[in-house]
Amino acid sequence: SVNDRGNVVRSESARLSVLENGMNEDDFSQEVAEEQKQTLDFFLPRKLNTPENISTQLLLDGTGVVSWSRSAEVTGYLIQVMAGNTAVTNISVDSSVDTVQIHNLSPAHQYSVCVAAVRGNIKSTFSER
């Protein structure tokens, strides 16, 4: 099994063999059959999916509303607001939030919003702008 310290993913058995210098595969197979070798545990982070069903709405008072579908596997979300190619703000929210209001948007700028999922120190790619 593979464990990302929060989730266990099971698969068919596999063995990682490291041959010492000068040892050939036949010698190694015989050695393994004769004695139990140490095992090595390693952890692979599971990739987070980008949030889905993102919708945006601009209200008349210069407020934007962004919403998305929540995911059970995340601990939070990161919302990035851009004016052209310039980052205006980054907003972090916890996993219970699926809607954010962005205030004081200027009609003189064109804005875009991207959303990424977060679990601990792992972050998904941002959604398309």
Side-chain angles (χ1 to χ4, degrees), residues 1 10 12-13 17-18 29 33 52 55 64 70-71 81-82 84 98 114-115 122-123 125 127:
S1 69
R10 302 220 180 268
E12 294 296 321
S13 302
S17 301
V18 179
S29 297
E52 297 179 336
S55 67
R70 280 187 275 170
S71 171
V81 181
M82 306 282 288
D98 63 2
C114 305
V115 183
I122 301 169
K123 181 180 74 175
T125 56
S127 60

Side-chain angles (χ1 to χ4, degrees), residues 68-89:
W68 58 90
S69 295
R70 280 187 275 170
S71 171
E73 67 178 358
V74 305
T75 57
Y77 299 94
L78 180 60
I79 300 90
Q80 184 178 62
V81 181
M82 306 282 288
N85 289 327
T86 304
V88 175
T89 189

